[in-house]
Amino acid sequence: MHYVEVVAMLAVVQYLFFGALVGRARGRSGLKAPAVSGDEGFERIYRVQMNTLELLVAFLPALLVAAGFWPAPWVAGLGAVYLLGRLLYWRAYVAAPATRGLGFALSMLPTLVLLAMALAGAVLR
């Protein structure tokens, strides 16, 4: 199995799932596009999606480049931690934004480690 590629595609699926939640929240709130403020429940879900997009831009290249230099199980394992972190971030941010710290850390730290691995691999090999 291509673990790294599976993790990469799961990250995209997770992002699309968050996007679907935004659409559902927009419908429930009655907030008309292009507005993104005016309903706190919608705003929370929208921020989860946007923050995920912002981090995905760093996560995916770091994951895929690191996989070219390091063992796939290590890279995929870090990617799995990222996925778990995003899940925890979503749940916490929607419930009480001040509690999002663990989810944020569990998605940001693996991204930074993968970035360091990718850079180290590219520079040292």
Side-chain angles (χ1 to χ4, degrees), residues 7-19 21-22 43-60 63 77-97 99-112 114:
V7 167
M9 293 304 95
L10 286 175
V12 173
V13 168
Q14 185 179 60
Y15 171 73
L16 293 174
F17 170 71
F18 292 157
L21 292 177
V22 169
E43 290 172 23
R44 288 180 185 194
I45 293 172
Y46 177 73
R47 282 307 313 149
V48 168
Q49 182 202 24
M50 288 295 95
N51 185 269
T52 300
L53 177 60
E54 293 160 4
L55 194 53
L56 197 59
V57 170
F59 171 73
L60 284 177
L63 177 82
L78 286 165
V81 173
Y82 165 89
L83 292 171
L84 175 63
R86 287 283 91 196
L87 180 65
L88 294 174
Y89 182 86
W90 161 53
R91 300 297 294 187
Y93 202 104
V94 170
T99 66
R100 70 190 187 277
L102 177 62
F104 179 79
L106 288 178
S107 48
M108 181 58 84
L109 292 175
T111 301
L112 294 174
L114 288 166

Coordinates of all heavy atoms in Angstrom, one line a residue, residues 7-19 21-22 43-60 63 77-97 99-112 114:
V7 N -2.5 9.0 2.9 CA -2.6 10.1 3.8 C -2.8 11.4 3.1 O -3.6 12.2 3.5 CB -1.3 10.2 4.7 CG1 -1.3 11.5 5.5 CG2 -1.3 9.0 5.7
A8 N -2.1 11.6 2.0 CA -2.3 12.9 1.2 C -3.7 13.0 0.7 O -4.3 14.1 0.8 CB -1.3 12.9 0.0
M9 N -4.3 11.9 0.2 CA -5.6 12.0 -0.3 C -6.7 12.1 0.8 O -7.7 12.8 0.7 CB -5.9 10.7 -1.2 CG -5.1 10.7 -2.5 SD -5.4 12.2 -3.5 CE -4.0 13.2 -3.1
L10 N -6.4 11.5 2.0 CA -7.3 11.7 3.1 C -7.3 13.1 3.6 O -8.3 13.6 4.0 CB -6.8 10.7 4.3 CG -7.2 9.2 4.0 CD1 -6.6 8.4 5.2 CD2 -8.7 9.0 3.9
A11 N -6.1 13.8 3.5 CA -6.1 15.2 3.8 C -7.0 16.0 2.9 O -7.7 16.9 3.4 CB -4.6 15.7 3.8
V12 N -7.0 15.7 1.6 CA -7.8 16.4 0.7 C -9.3 16.1 1.0 O -10.2 16.9 1.0 CB -7.5 16.0 -0.8 CG1 -8.5 16.6 -1.8 CG2 -6.1 16.5 -1.1
V13 N -9.6 14.8 1.2 CA -11.0 14.4 1.6 C -11.4 15.1 2.8 O -12.6 15.6 2.9 CB -11.1 12.9 1.7 CG1 -12.4 12.5 2.4 CG2 -10.9 12.2 0.4
Q14 N -10.6 15.2 3.8 CA -10.9 15.9 5.1 C -11.2 17.4 4.8 O -12.2 17.9 5.3 CB -9.8 15.8 6.1 CG -10.0 16.3 7.4 CD -8.9 16.2 8.4 OE1 -7.8 16.6 8.1 NE2 -9.1 15.4 9.4
Y15 N -10.4 18.0 3.9 CA -10.7 19.4 3.6 C -12.0 19.5 2.9 O -12.8 20.5 3.2 CB -9.6 19.9 2.7 CG -9.9 21.3 2.1 CD1 -9.9 22.4 2.9 CD2 -10.2 21.4 0.8 CE1 -10.2 23.6 2.4 CE2 -10.6 22.7 0.3 CZ -10.6 23.8 1.1 OH -10.9 25.0 0.6
L16 N -12.3 18.6 2.0 CA -13.6 18.7 1.2 C -14.8 18.5 2.2 O -15.9 19.1 2.0 CB -13.6 17.7 0.1 CG -12.6 18.0 -1.0 CD1 -12.6 16.8 -2.0 CD2 -13.0 19.3 -1.7
F17 N -14.6 17.6 3.2 CA -15.6 17.3 4.2 C -15.9 18.6 5.0 O -17.0 19.0 5.2 CB -15.2 16.2 5.1 CG -16.0 16.1 6.3 CD1 -17.3 15.5 6.2 CD2 -15.6 16.4 7.6 CE1 -18.1 15.4 7.4 CE2 -16.4 16.3 8.7 CZ -17.6 15.7 8.6
F18 N -14.8 19.3 5.4 CA -15.0 20.6 6.1 C -15.7 21.6 5.2 O -16.6 22.4 5.6 CB -13.7 21.2 6.5 CG -13.0 20.4 7.6 CD1 -11.6 20.5 7.8 CD2 -13.7 19.5 8.4 CE1 -11.0 19.8 8.8 CE2 -13.1 18.8 9.4 CZ -11.7 18.9 9.6
G19 N -15.5 21.6 3.9 CA -16.2 22.4 2.9 C -17.6 22.1 2.9 O -18.5 23.0 2.8
L21 N -19.4 20.9 5.3 CA -19.9 21.4 6.5 C -20.2 22.9 6.5 O -21.2 23.4 7.0 CB -19.0 21.1 7.7 CG -18.8 19.6 8.1 CD1 -17.8 19.5 9.2 CD2 -20.1 19.0 8.5
V22 N -19.3 23.6 5.8 CA -19.5 25.0 5.6 C -20.8 25.3 4.8 O -21.6 26.1 5.1 CB -18.3 25.7 4.9 CG1 -18.7 27.1 4.4 CG2 -17.1 25.7 5.8
E43 N -19.6 31.0 11.2 CA -18.2 31.5 11.2 C -17.2 30.5 11.8 O -16.1 30.4 11.3 CB -18.2 32.8 12.0 CG -18.9 34.0 11.4 CD -19.0 35.2 12.2 OE1 -18.2 35.4 13.2 OE2 -19.9 36.0 12.0
R44 N -17.6 29.8 12.8 CA -16.6 28.8 13.4 C -16.3 27.7 12.4 O -15.1 27.3 12.2 CB -17.2 28.2 14.6 CG -17.3 29.1 15.8 CD -17.9 28.5 17.0 NE -18.0 29.4 18.1 CZ -18.3 29.1 19.3 NH1 -18.5 27.8 19.7 NH2 -18.4 30.0 20.3
I45 N -17.3 27.2 11.7 CA -17.1 26.1 10.7 C -16.3 26.6 9.6 O -15.4 26.0 9.0 CB -18.4 25.5 10.3 CG1 -19.0 24.7 11.5 CG2 -18.2 24.5 9.1 CD1 -20.4 24.2 11.3
Y46 N -16.6 27.8 9.1 CA -15.9 28.5 8.0 C -14.4 28.7 8.4 O -13.5 28.4 7.6 CB -16.5 29.8 7.7 CG -15.8 30.6 6.6 CD1 -15.9 30.2 5.3 CD2 -15.1 31.7 7.0 CE1 -15.3 30.9 4.3 CE2 -14.5 32.5 6.0 CZ -14.6 32.1 4.7 OH -13.9 32.8 3.7
R47 N -14.1 29.1 9.6 CA -12.7 29.3 10.0 C -12.0 28.0 10.1 O -10.8 27.9 9.8 CB -12.7 30.0 11.4 CG -12.9 31.5 11.3 CD -12.0 32.2 10.3 NE -10.6 31.8 10.4 CZ -9.7 31.8 9.4 NH1 -10.1 32.2 8.2 NH2 -8.5 31.5 9.5
V48 N -12.7 26.9 10.5 CA -12.0 25.6 10.4 C -11.6 25.2 9.0 O -10.4 24.8 8.8 CB -12.9 24.5 11.0 CG1 -12.4 23.1 10.7 CG2 -13.1 24.7 12.5
Q49 N -12.5 25.4 8.1 CA -12.2 25.1 6.7 C -11.0 26.0 6.2 O -10.1 25.6 5.6 CB -13.4 25.3 5.8 CG -13.1 25.0 4.3 CD -14.0 25.6 3.3 OE1 -14.6 26.6 3.6 NE2 -14.1 25.0 2.2
M50 N -11.1 27.3 6.5 CA -10.1 28.2 6.0 C -8.7 28.0 6.6 O -7.7 28.0 6.0 CB -10.5 29.7 6.2 CG -11.6 30.2 5.3 SD -11.1 30.2 3.6 CE -11.7 28.7 2.9
N51 N -8.7 27.7 7.9 CA -7.4 27.4 8.6 C -6.9 26.1 8.1 O -5.6 26.0 7.9 CB -7.6 27.3 10.1 CG -6.3 27.1 10.8 OD1 -5.9 26.0 11.1 ND2 -5.7 28.2 11.2
T52 N -7.7 25.1 7.8 CA -7.2 23.8 7.2 C -6.6 24.1 5.8 O -5.6 23.5 5.5 CB -8.4 22.8 7.1 OG1 -8.9 22.6 8.4 CG2 -8.0 21.5 6.5
L53 N -7.3 24.9 5.0 CA -6.7 25.2 3.7 C -5.4 25.9 3.8 O -4.4 25.6 3.1 CB -7.7 26.1 2.9 CG -7.2 26.6 1.6 CD1 -6.9 25.5 0.6 CD2 -8.2 27.6 1.0
E54 N -5.3 26.9 4.7 CA -4.0 27.6 5.0 C -2.9 26.6 5.3 O -1.7 26.7 4.8 CB -4.2 28.6 6.0 CG -5.1 29.8 5.6 CD -5.7 30.5 6.8 OE1 -5.3 30.3 8.0 OE2 -6.5 31.5 6.6
L55 N -3.2 25.6 6.2 CA -2.1 24.7 6.6 C -1.9 23.6 5.5 O -0.8 23.1 5.4 CB -2.5 24.1 7.9 CG -1.4 23.3 8.7 CD1 -0.2 24.2 8.9 CD2 -1.9 22.9 10.0
L56 N -2.9 23.2 4.8 CA -2.8 22.2 3.8 C -1.8 22.6 2.7 O -1.1 21.8 2.1 CB -4.2 22.0 3.1 CG -4.4 20.7 2.3 CD1 -4.2 19.5 3.1 CD2 -5.8 20.7 1.7
V57 N -1.7 23.9 2.4 CA -0.7 24.4 1.4 C 0.7 24.1 1.9 O 1.6 23.9 1.0 CB -0.9 25.9 1.2 CG1 0.2 26.5 0.4 CG2 -2.3 26.2 0.6
A58 N 1.0 24.1 3.1 CA 2.3 23.7 3.6 C 2.4 22.2 3.8 O 3.5 21.6 3.6 CB 2.6 24.4 4.9
F59 N 1.4 21.6 4.3 CA 1.4 20.2 4.7 C 1.7 19.2 3.5 O 2.5 18.4 3.5 CB 0.1 19.7 5.4 CG 0.0 18.3 5.6 CD1 0.7 17.6 6.5 CD2 -0.9 17.5 4.8 CE1 0.6 16.2 6.7 CE2 -1.0 16.1 5.0 CZ -0.3 15.5 6.0
L60 N 0.9 19.4 2.4 CA 1.0 18.5 1.3 C 2.4 18.5 0.6 O 2.9 17.4 0.4 CB -0.1 18.7 0.3 CG -1.5 18.2 0.7 CD1 -2.5 18.6 -0.4 CD2 -1.5 16.7 0.9
L63 N 4.8 16.8 3.1 CA 4.6 15.4 3.1 C 5.2 14.7 1.9 O 5.9 13.7 2.1 CB 3.1 15.1 3.2 CG 2.6 13.7 3.2 CD1 2.7 13.1 4.6 CD2 1.2 13.6 2.7
G77 N 3.1 8.2 9.1 CA 2.7 8.4 10.5 C 2.6 9.8 11.0 O 1.6 10.2 11.7
L78 N 3.5 10.6 10.5 CA 3.4 12.1 10.8 C 2.2 12.7 10.2 O 1.5 13.5 10.7 CB 4.6 12.8 10.4 CG 5.9 12.6 11.3 CD1 7.1 13.1 10.6 CD2 5.7 13.3 12.6
G79 N 1.9 12.2 9.0 CA 0.7 12.6 8.3 C -0.6 12.2 9.0 O -1.6 13.0 9.0
A80 N -0.6 11.0 9.6 CA -1.7 10.6 10.3 C -2.0 11.4 11.6 O -3.1 11.7 11.9 CB -1.6 9.1 10.7
V81 N -0.9 11.9 12.2 CA -1.0 12.8 13.3 C -1.6 14.1 12.9 O -2.5 14.6 13.6 CB 0.4 13.0 14.0 CG1 0.3 14.1 15.1 CG2 0.9 11.7 14.6
Y82 N -1.2 14.6 11.7 CA -1.8 15.8 11.2 C -3.3 15.6 11.0 O -4.1 16.5 11.4 CB -1.2 16.1 9.8 CG -1.9 17.2 9.0 CD1 -1.7 18.5 9.2 CD2 -2.9 16.8 8.1 CE1 -2.4 19.4 8.4 CE2 -3.7 17.7 7.4 CZ -3.4 19.0 7.5 OH -4.1 19.9 6.8
L83 N -3.7 14.5 10.4 CA -5.2 14.3 10.2 C -5.9 14.2 11.5 O -7.0 14.8 11.6 CB -5.4 13.0 9.4 CG -4.9 12.9 8.0 CD1 -5.0 11.5 7.4 CD2 -5.7 13.9 7.1
L84 N -5.4 13.6 12.5 CA -6.0 13.6 13.8 C -6.1 15.0 14.4 O -7.1 15.4 15.0 CB -5.2 12.6 14.8 CG -5.7 12.6 16.2 CD1 -7.1 12.1 16.3 CD2 -4.7 11.8 17.1
G85 N -5.0 15.7 14.3 CA -5.0 17.1 14.8 C -6.0 17.9 14.1 O -6.7 18.7 14.8
R86 N -6.2 17.8 12.8 CA -7.3 18.6 12.2 C -8.7 18.2 12.7 O -9.6 19.0 12.8 CB -7.2 18.4 10.6 CG -6.1 19.1 10.0 CD -6.2 20.6 9.8 NE -5.7 21.3 10.9 CZ -6.0 22.6 11.2 NH1 -6.8 23.3 10.5 NH2 -5.5 23.2 12.3
L87 N -8.9 16.9 12.9 CA -10.1 16.4 13.4 C -10.4 17.0 14.8 O -11.5 17.5 15.1 CB -10.1 14.9 13.5 CG -11.4 14.2 14.0 CD1 -12.6 14.5 13.0 CD2 -11.2 12.7 14.2
L88 N -9.4 17.0 15.7 CA -9.5 17.5 17.0 C -9.7 19.0 16.9 O -10.5 19.6 17.7 CB -8.3 17.2 17.9 CG -8.1 15.7 18.2 CD1 -6.8 15.5 18.9 CD2 -9.3 15.2 19.0
Y89 N -9.0 19.7 16.0 CA -9.2 21.1 15.9 C -10.6 21.5 15.5 O -11.2 22.4 16.0 CB -8.2 21.6 14.8 CG -8.2 23.1 14.5 CD1 -7.5 24.0 15.3 CD2 -9.0 23.6 13.5 CE1 -7.5 25.3 15.1 CE2 -9.0 25.0 13.3 CZ -8.3 25.8 14.1 OH -8.3 27.2 13.8
W90 N -11.2 20.8 14.5 CA -12.5 21.0 14.1 C -13.5 20.9 15.2 O -14.3 21.8 15.5 CB -12.9 20.0 12.9 CG -14.4 19.8 12.7 CD1 -15.3 20.8 12.5 CD2 -15.0 18.6 12.7 NE1 -16.5 20.2 12.3 CE2 -16.4 18.9 12.4 CE3 -14.6 17.3 12.8 CZ2 -17.4 17.9 12.3 CZ3 -15.6 16.3 12.7 CH2 -16.9 16.6 12.4
R91 N -13.4 19.8 16.0 CA -14.4 19.5 17.1 C -14.2 20.6 18.1 O -15.2 21.1 18.6 CB -14.1 18.1 17.7 CG -14.3 17.0 16.7 CD -15.7 16.8 16.2 NE -16.6 16.5 17.3 CZ -17.8 16.2 17.2 NH1 -18.4 16.2 16.0 NH2 -18.5 15.9 18.2
A92 N -13.0 21.0 18.5 CA -12.8 21.9 19.5 C -13.2 23.3 19.1 O -13.9 24.1 19.8 CB -11.3 22.0 19.9
Y93 N -12.9 23.7 17.9 CA -13.2 25.1 17.4 C -14.7 25.3 17.3 O -15.2 26.4 17.7 CB -12.5 25.3 16.0 CG -12.4 26.8 15.7 CD1 -11.1 27.4 15.8 CD2 -13.4 27.6 15.4 CE1 -10.9 28.7 15.6 CE2 -13.2 29.0 15.1 CZ -12.0 29.5 15.2 OH -11.8 30.8 14.9
V94 N -15.4 24.3 16.9 CA -16.9 24.4 16.7 C -17.5 24.5 18.1 O -18.4 25.3 18.4 CB -17.5 23.3 15.9 CG1 -19.0 23.2 16.0 CG2 -17.0 23.4 14.4
A95 N -17.0 23.7 19.1 CA -17.6 23.7 20.4 C -17.2 24.9 21.3 O -18.0 25.5 21.9 CB -17.1 22.4 21.2
A96 N -15.9 25.2 21.3 CA -15.4 26.4 22.1 C -14.0 26.7 21.5 O -13.0 26.1 21.8 CB -15.2 26.0 23.5
P97 N -13.9 27.8 20.7 CA -12.7 28.1 20.0 C -11.4 28.2 20.9 O -10.3 27.9 20.4 CB -13.0 29.4 19.3 CG -14.5 29.4 19.1 CD -15.0 28.7 20.3
T99 N -10.5 26.3 23.0 CA -9.9 24.9 23.3 C -9.3 24.3 22.1 O -9.0 23.1 22.2 CB -11.1 24.0 23.8 OG1 -12.0 23.8 22.8 CG2 -11.8 24.6 25.1
R100 N -9.0 25.0 21.1 CA -8.5 24.4 19.8 C -7.0 24.1 19.9 O -6.4 23.6 18.9 CB -8.8 25.3 18.7 CG -8.0 26.6 18.6 CD -8.6 27.6 17.6 NE -7.7 28.8 17.5 CZ -7.8 29.8 18.2 NH1 -8.6 29.9 19.2 NH2 -7.0 30.9 18.0
G101 N -6.3 24.5 20.9 CA -4.9 24.4 21.0 C -4.3 23.0 20.7 O -3.3 22.9 20.0
L102 N -4.8 22.0 21.3 CA -4.3 20.6 21.1 C -4.4 20.3 19.6 O -3.4 19.8 19.0 CB -5.0 19.6 22.0 CG -4.5 18.2 21.8 CD1 -3.0 18.0 22.1 CD2 -5.4 17.2 22.6
G103 N -5.5 20.5 19.0 CA -5.7 20.1 17.6 C -4.8 20.9 16.7 O -4.3 20.4 15.7
F104 N -4.6 22.2 17.1 CA -3.7 23.1 16.3 C -2.3 22.5 16.4 O -1.6 22.4 15.4 CB -3.8 24.5 16.8 CG -2.8 25.4 16.0 CD1 -3.1 25.9 14.8 CD2 -1.6 25.8 16.6 CE1 -2.3 26.7 14.1 CE2 -0.7 26.6 15.9 CZ -1.1 27.0 14.6
A105 N -1.9 22.2 17.6 CA -0.5 21.7 17.8 C -0.3 20.4 17.1 O 0.8 20.1 16.5 CB -0.2 21.5 19.3
L106 N -1.3 19.5 17.1 CA -1.2 18.2 16.5 C -1.2 18.2 15.0 O -1.0 17.2 14.3 CB -2.2 17.2 17.0 CG -2.0 16.7 18.5 CD1 -3.1 15.8 18.9 CD2 -0.6 16.0 18.6
S107 N -1.6 19.4 14.4 CA -1.5 19.5 13.0 C -0.3 20.4 12.5 O 0.3 20.1 11.5 CB -2.8 20.0 12.4 OG -3.3 21.1 13.1
M108 N 0.0 21.4 13.3 CA 1.1 22.3 13.0 C 2.5 21.6 13.2 O 3.4 21.7 12.3 CB 1.1 23.6 13.8 CG 2.2 24.5 13.5 SD 2.3 25.0 11.7 CE 1.1 26.4 11.8
L109 N 2.6 20.9 14.3 CA 3.9 20.3 14.6 C 4.3 19.2 13.6 O 5.5 19.2 13.1 CB 4.0 19.7 16.0 CG 3.9 20.8 17.1 CD1 3.9 20.1 18.5 CD2 5.1 21.7 17.0
P110 N 3.4 18.3 13.2 CA 3.8 17.3 12.1 C 4.2 18.0 10.8 O 5.1 17.6 10.1 CB 2.6 16.4 12.0 CG 1.8 16.6 13.2 CD 2.1 18.0 13.7
T111 N 3.5 19.1 10.5 CA 3.8 19.9 9.3 C 5.2 20.4 9.4 O 6.0 20.3 8.4 CB 2.8 21.0 9.1 OG1 1.5 20.4 9.0 CG2 3.1 21.8 7.8
L112 N 5.6 21.0 10.5 CA 6.9 21.6 10.7 C 8.0 20.5 10.6 O 9.0 20.7 10.0 CB 7.0 22.4 11.9 CG 6.1 23.7 12.0 CD1 6.2 24.3 13.4 CD2 6.5 24.6 10.9
L114 N 7.7 17.6 9.1 CA 7.8 17.1 7.7 C 8.6 18.1 6.8 O 9.4 17.7 6.0 CB 6.4 16.9 7.1 CG 5.7 15.6 7.6 CD1 4.2 15.7 7.3 CD2 6.4 14.4 7.1

